[in-house]
C-alpha cells in the first residue's frame, strides 16, 4: 500500500507520460463573435521571398475596424499564419482582436499572419519542399530580416504601422514559438513582445541552448516581454522534452529579470490551451499600450 502511494506521488511530481492529460480547454466569450462588435477585414496575399530564395508563401493581413488610416497602428506577426487567422480554429485571432480592441483591452493592432515558405516543384512528379524548420528553428537573424526588409515594407504600402519595438509583437506555435523568441532576441529594437505556444526550445536546430544563453547574456538594452505556454502532455522525443525545455526557459527569464509569464497546464502539442488563454495573454502583453490600463505584472 505504501509502495503504491509513493509511486503515485512520484508519477504526479514527474508528470510521467503514462498519465493521460485532460487537455480539455475551452474557448471563452472573447474568442466568439459578439453582437455589435465591429469586425475587422482580413485579406490574403502571396509573397515570393528574396531573403529565403526560391520560396513562395501565403500571408494574411487583418485590419481592425478602428484603424483610421492616419494614426500608425501596432503590429503583431504570427508564424504558421493559416492556423492563427482561421476563425474556426484553436486561436481565432481576428475574432479575439475584434473583441479586445472594441473593449479597449488592447491597442488598435494590425495582424500579419505568415505561412512558412515552400519551394515549388520544378519538374513534373516532384513535390514542393517545405522550408518551415529552416526558417523557424534556425538561431539567426534571417527570419527577422525577412520581416524587416520584405513583409513590413510591403504591408506598409497600404497601412501605417508603428516602427518602434513597443508597438510590435510576434507569436507562434511550436517551431513558430521559438522563431518568435529568436526574432525578438536578435532584434529587440524591432520586437518587444513575444507569445510562444508550446514553443520548441529543443535541439531541432540547436534551440536548446536558449536557457543558458538567456542566463549568461547581459540583459538586452531594449526590454523583451515574453508569454510562454506549455503543458505536461507536450512532446518528448529525440529532439528533447518540450515541457522541461519550456520550464527551463521560464526559469532562465526569471533569473535574468525579464518581464515574463508562464502558463503550464496539462495539454499536449496543440493549440487548445494556448487558444483558451489567448485573450488574457494579449491583454498581458499589450497592457502598457492601452491608455488607462495598469502596467503592473
Amino acid at each position: 500500500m505504501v509502495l503504491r502511494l509513493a509511486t503515485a506521488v512520484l508519477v504526479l511530481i514527474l508528470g510521467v507520460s503514462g498519465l493521460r492529460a485532460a487537455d480539455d480547454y475551452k474557448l471563452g466569450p472573447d474568442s466568439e463573435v459578439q453582437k455589435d462588435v465591429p469586425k475587422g477585414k482580413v485579406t490574403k496575399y502571396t509573397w515570393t521571398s528574396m531573403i529565403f530564395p526560391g520560396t513562395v508563401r501565403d500571408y494574411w493581413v487583418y485590419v481592425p475596424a478602428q484603424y483610421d488610416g492616419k494614426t500608425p497602428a501596432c503590429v503583431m506577426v504570427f508564424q504558421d499564419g493559416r492556423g492563427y487567422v482561421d476563425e474556426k480554429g484553436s486561436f481565432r485571432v481576428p475574432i479575439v482582436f475584434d473583441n479586445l480592441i472594441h473593449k479597449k483591452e488592447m491597442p488598435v493592432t494590425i495582424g500579419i499572419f505568415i505561412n512558412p515558405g515552400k519551394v515549388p516543384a520544378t519538374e513534373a512528379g516532384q513535390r514542393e519542399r517545405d522550408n518551415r524548420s529552416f526558417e523557424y528553428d534556425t538561431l539567426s537573424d534571417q527570419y527577422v530580416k525577412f520581416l524587416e526588409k520584405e513583409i513590413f515594407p510591403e504591408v506598409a504600402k497600404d497601412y501605417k504601422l508603428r516602427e518602434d519595438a513597443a508597438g510590435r509583437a510576434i507569436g507562434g506555435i511550436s517551431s513558430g514559438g521559438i522563431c518568435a523568441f529568436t526574432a525578438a532576441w536578435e532584434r529587440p529594437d524591432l520586437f518587444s513582445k513575444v507569445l510562444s505556444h508550446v514553443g520548441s526550445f529543443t535541439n531541432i536546430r540547436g534551440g536548446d541552448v536558449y536557457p543558458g544563453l538567456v542566463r549568461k547574456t547581459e540583459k538586452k538594452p531594449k526590454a523583451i516581454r515574453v508569454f510562454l505556454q506549455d503543458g505536461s502532455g507536450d512532446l518528448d522525443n529525440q529532439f528533447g522534452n518540450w515541457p522541461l525545455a519550456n520550464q527551463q526557459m521560464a526559469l532562465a527569464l526569471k533569473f535574468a529579470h525579464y518581464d515574463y509569464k508562464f502558463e503550464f497546464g496539462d495539454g499536449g502539442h496543440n493549440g487548445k490551451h494556448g487558444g483558451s488563454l489567448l485573450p488574457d495573454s494579449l491583454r498581458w502583453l499589450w497592457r502598457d499600450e492601452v491608455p488607462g490600463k495598469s502596467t503592473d505584472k
Side-chain angles (χ1 to χ4, degrees), residues 52-294:
F52 293 109
T55 63
V56 180
R57 75 198 66 224
D58 292 333
Y59 72 97
W60 295 257
V61 176
Y62 160 90
V63 181
Q66 294 84 354
Y67 174 73
D68 61 12
K70 301 175 183 177
T71 306
C74 291
V75 187
M76 188 160 188
V77 174
F78 291 90
Q79 280 70 250
D80 292 310
R82 186 190 307 275
Y84 279 97
V85 80
D86 183 359
E87 295 192 1
K88 295 183 179 179
S90 296
F91 296 103
R92 308 182 183 188
V93 174
I95 295 173
V96 177
F97 273 26
D98 285 344
N99 289 329
L100 297 192
I101 293 171
H102 175 68
K103 294 192 292 184
K104 295 182 171 29
E105 293 179 346
M106 66 176 284
V108 174
T109 303
I110 287 176
I112 305 176
F113 306 83
I114 310 171
N115 272 356
K118 293 184 180 296
V119 180
T122 57
E123 297 179 10
Q126 289 185 340
R127 300 180 64 178
E128 63 182 9
R129 178 167 60 83
D130 189 350
N131 208 43
R132 181 176 183 269
S133 178
F134 177 75
E135 293 179 9
Y136 289 1
D137 294 307
T138 301
L139 307 189
S140 77
D141 67 349
Q142 189 172 7
Y143 188 81
V144 72
K145 188 179 294 184
F146 157 73
L147 297 177
E148 179 190 23
K149 302 297 186 182
E150 296 189 359
I151 298 300
F152 281 164
E154 186 66 16
V155 176
K157 290 178 181 179
D158 297 315
Y159 306 105
K160 294 183 181 297
L161 308 177
R162 281 180 56 172
E163 298 182 356
D164 59 311
R168 290 177 171 175
I170 184 166
I173 185 170
S174 189
S175 293
I178 192 174
C179 178
F181 183 80
T182 298
W185 182 255
E186 293 285 342
R187 295 293 303 274
D189 59 314
L190 293 181
F191 290 101
S192 69
K193 300 168 178 63
V194 174
L195 176 59
S196 171
H197 296 125
V198 296
S200 298
F201 296 99
T202 52
N203 192 19
I204 298 176
R205 292 178 183 266
D208 56 329
V209 303
Y210 266 138
L213 276 178
V214 171
R215 287 175 178 270
K216 294 190 294 183
T217 304
E218 185 176 352
K219 191 175 180 181
K220 299 287 184 176
K222 298 285 187 179
I224 303 174
R225 178 176 296 164
V226 184
F227 189 105
L228 300 172
Q229 171 272 322
D230 199 23
S232 58
D234 204 351
L235 298 175
D236 183 17
N237 59 32
Q238 70 270 32
F239 301 113
N241 181 285
W242 268 246
L244 178 59
N246 277 272
Q247 291 176 76
Q248 290 177 327
M249 276 297 293
L251 289 172
L253 291 166
K254 180 180 180 180
F255 175 83
H257 304 291
Y258 281 96
D259 186 6
Y260 84 100
K261 191 168 186 178
F262 180 40
E263 291 287 349
F264 190 66
D266 65 359
H269 199 72
N270 57 55
K272 293 180 182 179
H273 187 202
S276 71
L277 293 170
L278 183 62
D280 285 340
S281 61
L282 293 173
R283 292 184 186 97
W284 184 83
L285 283 170
W286 290 107
R287 65 188 187 272
D288 51 3
E289 295 300 319
V290 180
K293 296 295 182 180
S294 170

